[in-house]
Amino acid sequence: MSLIEFNNVSFTYPNGFSAVEDIDFHIEKGENIAIVGQNGAGKTTMVKMMNGLLKPTSGKVVIDGMDTCDFTTARLSRKTGYVFQNPDDQIFHNTVRQEIEFGPSVLGYDAQRVKELTEYTAKLVGLSDELEENPYNLPLSIRKFVTIASVIAMDTEIIVLDEPTAGQDIRGIRILENMIEELKEKGKTIITITHDMEFVVNNFDKVFVMAHKNLLKVTEPKEVFSDSALLEESMLKRPYISEIVWQFGLPEHIILRKELAEYIVKIARSS
Ligand SMILES: Nc1ncnc2c1ncn2[C@@H]1O[C@H](COP(=O)(O)OP(=O)(O)OP(=O)(O)O)[C@@H](O)[C@H]1O
Ligand SMILES: [Mg+2]
Protein backbone atom coordinates (compact mmCIF):
# COMPACT_ATOMS: atom_id res chain seq x y z
CA MET A 1 0.00 0.00 0.00
CA SER A 2 1.31 3.44 -0.95
CA LEU A 3 0.99 6.47 1.33
CA ILE A 4 -1.03 8.43 -1.26
CA GLU A 5 -3.08 6.75 -3.98
CA PHE A 6 -5.12 8.47 -6.67
CA ASN A 7 -7.09 5.93 -8.67
CA ASN A 8 -8.78 7.30 -11.82
CA VAL A 9 -9.62 10.52 -10.01
CA SER A 10 -11.71 13.30 -11.53
CA PHE A 11 -13.10 16.43 -9.93
CA THR A 12 -15.91 18.67 -11.14
CA TYR A 13 -16.77 21.88 -9.24
CA PRO A 14 -20.40 22.39 -8.21
CA ASN A 15 -20.85 24.87 -11.10
CA GLY A 16 -20.15 22.00 -13.51
CA PHE A 17 -16.55 22.98 -14.36
CA SER A 18 -14.35 19.90 -14.70
CA ALA A 19 -10.89 20.76 -13.24
CA VAL A 20 -9.18 17.35 -12.94
CA GLU A 21 -9.78 14.40 -15.23
CA ASP A 22 -8.86 10.77 -14.70
CA ILE A 23 -5.64 11.14 -12.71
CA ASP A 24 -3.82 8.06 -11.54
CA PHE A 25 -0.66 7.91 -9.39
CA HIS A 26 0.93 6.59 -6.21
CA ILE A 27 3.27 8.40 -3.83
CA GLU A 28 5.41 6.43 -1.36
CA LYS A 29 6.31 7.44 2.18
CA GLY A 30 9.27 9.83 2.29
CA GLU A 31 9.05 10.87 -1.36
CA ASN A 32 9.45 14.58 -2.13
CA ILE A 33 7.59 15.78 -5.14
CA ALA A 34 7.33 19.02 -7.10
CA ILE A 35 4.10 19.62 -9.00
CA VAL A 36 4.46 21.95 -11.97
CA GLY A 37 2.19 23.15 -14.76
CA GLN A 38 0.52 26.20 -16.22
CA ASN A 39 -2.09 28.33 -14.43
CA GLY A 40 -5.41 26.56 -14.22
CA ALA A 41 -3.91 23.10 -14.94
CA GLY A 42 -5.67 21.69 -11.89
CA LYS A 43 -2.74 21.56 -9.42
CA THR A 44 -4.52 23.15 -6.44
CA THR A 45 -7.67 21.15 -7.09
CA MET A 46 -5.62 17.94 -7.11
CA VAL A 47 -3.75 18.58 -3.87
CA LYS A 48 -6.87 19.73 -2.03
CA MET A 49 -8.07 16.15 -2.51
CA MET A 50 -5.10 14.94 -0.44
CA ASN A 51 -6.58 16.16 2.84
CA GLY A 52 -10.25 15.91 2.00
CA LEU A 53 -10.84 19.64 1.45
CA LEU A 54 -12.22 18.38 -1.86
CA LYS A 55 -13.52 14.86 -2.41
CA PRO A 56 -13.20 13.27 -5.84
CA THR A 57 -16.38 13.36 -7.91
CA SER A 58 -15.26 10.08 -9.45
CA GLY A 59 -12.46 7.63 -8.71
CA LYS A 60 -10.78 7.10 -5.37
CA VAL A 61 -8.24 8.99 -3.24
CA VAL A 62 -6.69 6.84 -0.51
CA ILE A 63 -4.37 8.40 2.09
CA ASP A 64 -2.49 5.90 4.23
CA GLY A 65 -5.27 3.38 3.73
CA MET A 66 -8.09 5.89 4.31
CA ASP A 67 -10.52 6.42 1.44
CA THR A 68 -11.05 10.20 1.74
CA CYS A 69 -14.76 9.82 1.01
CA ASP A 70 -15.15 7.84 4.27
CA PHE A 71 -13.32 10.31 6.56
CA THR A 72 -13.83 13.92 7.65
CA THR A 73 -11.43 16.66 6.61
CA ALA A 74 -10.56 17.08 10.30
CA ARG A 75 -9.44 13.45 10.52
CA LEU A 76 -7.54 13.57 7.22
CA SER A 77 -5.82 16.81 8.30
CA ARG A 78 -3.99 14.83 10.98
CA LYS A 79 -2.28 12.94 8.17
CA THR A 80 -1.92 15.66 5.52
CA GLY A 81 -1.13 19.29 6.32
CA TYR A 82 -2.09 21.64 3.49
CA VAL A 83 -0.68 25.18 3.17
CA PHE A 84 -3.14 27.21 1.10
CA GLN A 85 -2.00 29.00 -2.06
CA ASN A 86 -3.32 32.28 -0.62
CA PRO A 87 -2.28 32.70 3.05
CA ASP A 88 -5.24 34.99 3.69
CA ASP A 89 -7.57 31.99 3.17
CA GLN A 90 -5.89 30.34 6.15
CA ILE A 91 -5.04 33.02 8.73
CA PHE A 92 -7.65 33.86 11.36
CA HIS A 93 -5.83 34.69 14.61
CA ASN A 94 -4.53 38.00 15.96
CA THR A 95 -0.92 37.00 16.54
CA VAL A 96 1.57 34.78 14.76
CA ARG A 97 1.95 32.74 17.97
CA GLN A 98 -1.80 32.05 18.23
CA GLU A 99 -1.92 31.17 14.56
CA ILE A 100 0.86 28.58 14.86
CA GLU A 101 -0.42 27.23 18.22
CA PHE A 102 -3.90 26.57 16.91
CA GLY A 103 -3.14 23.34 14.97
CA PRO A 104 -1.16 21.47 17.65
CA SER A 105 -3.69 22.60 20.32
CA VAL A 106 -6.57 21.15 18.31
CA LEU A 107 -4.61 17.92 17.99
CA GLY A 108 -4.67 17.77 21.79
CA TYR A 109 -0.96 18.20 22.53
CA ASP A 110 -0.17 19.46 26.04
CA ALA A 111 0.78 23.10 26.59
CA GLN A 112 4.52 22.40 26.80
CA ARG A 113 4.53 20.44 23.51
CA VAL A 114 2.46 23.16 21.81
CA LYS A 115 4.97 25.79 22.97
CA GLU A 116 7.92 23.70 21.75
CA LEU A 117 6.35 23.01 18.36
CA THR A 118 5.41 26.69 17.96
CA GLU A 119 8.88 27.94 18.76
CA TYR A 120 10.59 25.25 16.68
CA THR A 121 8.52 25.98 13.56
CA ALA A 122 8.73 29.77 14.02
CA LYS A 123 12.53 29.42 14.07
CA LEU A 124 12.48 27.07 11.07
CA VAL A 125 10.72 29.69 8.93
CA GLY A 126 12.55 32.74 10.34
CA LEU A 127 9.65 34.08 12.44
CA SER A 128 11.08 33.86 15.97
CA ASP A 129 11.05 37.65 16.33
CA GLU A 130 7.52 38.08 14.95
CA LEU A 131 5.61 35.74 17.28
CA GLU A 132 3.65 38.55 18.97
CA GLU A 133 2.91 40.42 15.72
CA ASN A 134 -0.47 40.55 14.05
CA PRO A 135 -0.01 38.50 10.84
CA TYR A 136 -1.73 41.26 8.87
CA ASN A 137 1.05 43.69 9.84
CA LEU A 138 3.47 41.46 7.93
CA PRO A 139 3.96 41.41 4.14
CA LEU A 140 2.19 38.70 2.12
CA SER A 141 5.43 36.75 1.52
CA ILE A 142 5.98 36.58 5.31
CA ARG A 143 2.30 35.77 6.00
CA LYS A 144 2.89 32.75 3.77
CA PHE A 145 5.58 31.63 6.23
CA VAL A 146 3.09 32.08 9.09
CA THR A 147 0.78 29.58 7.37
CA ILE A 148 3.65 27.23 6.57
CA ALA A 149 4.70 27.26 10.23
CA SER A 150 1.14 26.64 11.39
CA VAL A 151 0.93 23.53 9.22
CA ILE A 152 4.39 22.18 10.07
CA ALA A 153 3.57 22.62 13.77
CA MET A 154 0.90 19.93 13.37
CA ASP A 155 3.73 17.47 12.67
CA THR A 156 1.77 15.62 9.96
CA GLU A 157 3.37 12.84 7.94
CA ILE A 158 2.45 14.52 4.64
CA ILE A 159 3.02 18.23 4.01
CA VAL A 160 1.54 19.91 0.95
CA LEU A 161 2.86 23.37 0.09
CA ASP A 162 0.83 25.27 -2.52
CA GLU A 163 3.15 27.77 -4.22
CA PRO A 164 5.45 28.59 -1.28
CA THR A 165 7.93 30.24 -3.69
CA ALA A 166 5.46 32.81 -5.06
CA GLY A 167 6.72 36.33 -4.33
CA GLN A 168 9.69 35.13 -2.27
CA ASP A 169 13.06 36.87 -2.45
CA ILE A 170 16.41 35.08 -2.07
CA ARG A 171 16.09 35.04 1.73
CA GLY A 172 12.65 33.43 1.47
CA ILE A 173 13.87 30.82 -1.02
CA ARG A 174 16.81 29.95 1.26
CA ILE A 175 14.50 29.55 4.24
CA LEU A 176 12.29 27.25 2.18
CA GLU A 177 15.27 25.20 0.98
CA ASN A 178 16.64 24.72 4.50
CA MET A 179 13.18 23.90 5.80
CA ILE A 180 12.55 21.28 3.09
CA GLU A 181 15.96 19.75 3.77
CA GLU A 182 15.18 19.46 7.49
CA LEU A 183 11.72 18.01 6.84
CA LYS A 184 13.21 15.48 4.40
CA GLU A 185 15.66 14.40 7.10
CA LYS A 186 12.71 13.82 9.42
CA GLY A 187 11.23 11.47 6.80
CA LYS A 188 8.28 13.69 5.89
CA THR A 189 6.57 13.31 2.53
CA ILE A 190 6.60 16.77 0.95
CA ILE A 191 4.52 17.78 -2.03
CA THR A 192 5.19 21.26 -3.40
CA ILE A 193 3.44 23.15 -6.15
CA THR A 194 5.70 25.74 -7.73
CA HIS A 195 6.27 27.79 -10.88
CA ASP A 196 9.97 28.23 -9.97
CA MET A 197 11.91 25.70 -12.05
CA GLU A 198 15.26 26.51 -10.35
CA PHE A 199 13.60 25.55 -7.08
CA VAL A 200 12.45 22.27 -8.64
CA VAL A 201 15.88 21.18 -9.88
CA ASN A 202 17.60 22.24 -6.69
CA ASN A 203 15.24 20.52 -4.23
CA PHE A 204 13.24 17.67 -5.74
CA ASP A 205 13.98 14.27 -7.23
CA LYS A 206 10.59 13.69 -8.78
CA VAL A 207 8.31 16.00 -10.77
CA PHE A 208 4.63 15.74 -11.60
CA VAL A 209 3.89 17.68 -14.79
CA MET A 210 0.27 18.77 -15.11
CA ALA A 211 -1.52 20.32 -18.08
CA HIS A 212 -5.10 20.56 -19.26
CA LYS A 213 -6.63 18.89 -16.16
CA ASN A 214 -4.30 15.88 -16.49
CA LEU A 215 -1.08 14.51 -15.13
CA LEU A 216 1.11 14.36 -18.25
CA LYS A 217 4.23 12.87 -16.76
CA VAL A 218 5.84 11.71 -13.51
CA THR A 219 9.60 11.71 -13.82
CA GLU A 220 12.97 13.12 -12.73
CA PRO A 221 13.76 16.83 -13.35
CA LYS A 222 16.43 15.81 -15.90
CA GLU A 223 13.80 14.07 -18.02
CA VAL A 224 11.37 16.98 -17.85
CA PHE A 225 13.81 19.68 -18.87
CA SER A 226 15.30 17.74 -21.76
CA ASP A 227 11.87 16.99 -23.27
CA SER A 228 11.05 19.95 -25.55
CA ALA A 229 7.62 18.60 -26.55
CA LEU A 230 6.60 18.13 -22.91
CA LEU A 231 7.84 21.62 -21.99
CA GLU A 232 5.89 23.11 -24.87
CA GLU A 233 2.70 21.23 -24.04
CA SER A 234 2.82 22.12 -20.36
CA MET A 235 4.09 25.69 -21.01
CA LEU A 236 7.11 25.24 -18.73
CA LYS A 237 10.25 27.32 -18.88
CA ARG A 238 13.61 25.61 -18.66
CA PRO A 239 15.61 26.48 -15.55
CA TYR A 240 18.67 28.66 -16.15
CA ILE A 241 21.29 25.90 -16.46
CA SER A 242 19.08 23.75 -18.72
CA GLU A 243 18.53 26.78 -20.94
CA ILE A 244 22.31 27.27 -21.36
CA VAL A 245 22.80 23.55 -21.97
CA TRP A 246 20.03 23.54 -24.57
CA GLN A 247 21.19 26.73 -26.33
CA PHE A 248 24.77 25.44 -26.64
CA GLY A 249 23.86 21.86 -27.49
CA LEU A 250 25.57 20.41 -24.39
CA PRO A 251 24.55 17.04 -22.88
CA GLU A 252 20.98 17.45 -21.68
CA HIS A 253 21.39 15.52 -18.43
CA ILE A 254 23.19 18.60 -17.04
CA ILE A 255 20.69 20.56 -14.94
CA LEU A 256 22.64 21.73 -11.89
CA ARG A 257 25.30 24.46 -11.67
CA LYS A 258 27.68 21.92 -10.18
CA GLU A 259 27.15 19.52 -13.09
CA LEU A 260 27.79 22.30 -15.63
CA ALA A 261 30.94 23.38 -13.78
CA GLU A 262 32.24 19.79 -13.74
CA TYR A 263 31.50 19.39 -17.45
CA ILE A 264 33.38 22.60 -18.32
CA VAL A 265 36.38 21.53 -16.23
CA LYS A 266 36.38 18.12 -17.93
CA ILE A 267 36.28 19.67 -21.41
CA ALA A 268 39.00 22.20 -20.51
CA ARG A 269 41.26 19.42 -19.19
CA SER A 270 40.80 17.22 -22.24
CA SER A 271 41.47 19.99 -24.78
N1 LIG B 1 -14.42 26.93 -6.82
C1 LIG B 1 -14.30 26.78 -8.15
N2 LIG B 1 -15.40 26.71 -8.96
C2 LIG B 1 -15.27 26.54 -10.28
N3 LIG B 1 -14.09 26.45 -10.93
C3 LIG B 1 -12.99 26.52 -10.19
C4 LIG B 1 -13.02 26.69 -8.77
N4 LIG B 1 -11.75 26.72 -8.31
C5 LIG B 1 -10.95 26.58 -9.39
N5 LIG B 1 -11.68 26.47 -10.51
C6 LIG B 1 -11.18 26.30 -11.87
O1 LIG B 1 -10.55 25.03 -11.97
C7 LIG B 1 -9.39 25.12 -12.82
C8 LIG B 1 -8.20 24.55 -12.08
O2 LIG B 1 -7.94 25.43 -10.99
P1 LIG B 1 -6.74 25.16 -9.98
O3 LIG B 1 -6.83 26.23 -8.96
O4 LIG B 1 -6.76 23.75 -9.53
O5 LIG B 1 -5.48 25.37 -10.97
P2 LIG B 1 -3.94 25.54 -10.62
O6 LIG B 1 -3.20 24.57 -11.51
O7 LIG B 1 -3.71 25.46 -9.18
O8 LIG B 1 -3.64 27.03 -11.17
P3 LIG B 1 -2.67 28.20 -10.60
O9 LIG B 1 -1.27 27.89 -11.09
O10 LIG B 1 -3.23 29.43 -11.25
O11 LIG B 1 -2.81 28.22 -9.11
C9 LIG B 1 -9.25 26.58 -13.23
O12 LIG B 1 -9.78 26.74 -14.52
C10 LIG B 1 -10.09 27.32 -12.19
O13 LIG B 1 -10.64 28.49 -12.72
MG1 LIG C 1 -3.10 26.74 -7.75
Side-chain angles (χ1 to χ4, degrees), residues 5-262:
E5 297 180 5
F6 273 53
N7 299 319
N8 306 109
V9 170
S10 299
F11 182 83
T12 303
Y13 282 101
N15 68 357
F17 185 84
S18 157
V20 162
E21 291 176 356
D22 203 20
I23 284 186
D24 217 41
F25 64 83
H26 288 190
I27 295 175
E28 308 305 324
K29 184 176 164 51
E31 281 195 302
N32 298 298
I33 289 168
I35 301 178
V36 301
Q38 67 210 101
N39 293 127
K43 303 180 299 295
T44 295
T45 306
M46 183 173 89
V47 299
K48 279 185 172 172
M49 287 190 267
M50 293 180 183
N51 77 342
L53 274 173
L54 298 177
K55 311 270 178 154
T57 44
S58 74
K60 226 182 222 202
V61 175
V62 183
I63 306 294
D64 202 18
M66 295 182 282
D67 181 332
T68 60
C69 285
D70 299 337
F71 291 85
T72 62
T73 306
R75 175 67 191 90
L76 293 162
S77 298
R78 289 169 180 257
K79 188 53 70 177
T80 306
Y82 170 64
V83 178
F84 279 70
Q85 183 164 351
N86 179 357
D88 299 347
D89 289 341
Q90 196 176 330
I91 291 173
F92 62 103
H93 285 98
N94 291 329
T95 67
V96 171
R97 183 185 292 281
Q98 288 168 350
E99 192 61 44
I100 304 176
E101 279 176 350
F102 178 74
S105 306
V106 167
L107 292 182
Y109 295 133
D110 66 44
Q112 183 57 30
R113 176 97 176 109
V114 171
K115 187 168 184 291
E116 280 166 16
L117 280 166
T118 301
E119 286 171 7
Y120 160 73
T121 49
K123 186 159 181 251
L124 192 64
V125 301
L127 281 174
S128 297
D129 295 336
E130 278 83 17
L131 278 168
E132 311 314 326
E133 282 284 344
N134 184 317
Y136 284 98
N137 289 338
L138 302 170
L140 183 72
S141 58
I142 305 293
R143 286 209 294 289
K144 184 82 178 195
F145 278 116
V146 174
T147 58
I148 291 172
S150 68
V151 165
I152 292 176
M154 292 176 76
D155 202 19
T156 52
E157 187 171 357
I158 303 164
I159 297 165
V160 180
L161 305 167
D162 199 340
E163 297 205 21
T165 52
Q168 298 295 346
D169 59 15
I170 289 287
R171 174 181 177 269
I173 297 288
R174 287 201 183 125
I175 291 174
L176 285 170
E177 292 189 328
N178 290 336
M179 178 190 95
I180 287 174
E181 203 47 48
E182 188 156 331
L183 295 172
K184 276 185 191 172
E185 278 167 22
K186 289 183 160 206
K188 304 284 185 194
T189 303
I190 308 161
I191 296 156
T192 304
I193 298 176
T194 182
H195 290 285
D196 181 339
M197 298 305 133
E198 310 292 335
F199 193 72
V200 171
V201 293
N202 289 332
N203 298 285
F204 296 91
D205 303 325
K206 201 184 243 189
V207 186
F208 280 28
V209 182
M210 287 191 74
H212 326 301
K213 314 165 194 244
N214 290 117
L215 185 55
L216 291 190
K217 192 139 192 170
V218 174
T219 188
E220 292 172 39
K222 282 184 201 318
E223 298 294 327
V224 175
F225 298 115
S226 58
D227 186 337
S228 296
L230 179 66
L231 293 172
E232 182 63 29
E233 186 171 2
S234 49
M235 311 261 278
L236 294 176
K237 191 173 162 284
R238 283 185 171 81
Y240 180 62
I241 298 296
S242 291
E243 185 63 31
I244 294 174
V245 163
W246 187 70
Q247 293 285 351
F248 287 93
L250 305 180
E252 286 184 335
H253 66 267
I254 298 171
I255 56 169
L256 300 174
R257 275 165 204 269
K258 184 170 165 277
E259 291 167 345
L260 182 60
E262 283 168 2

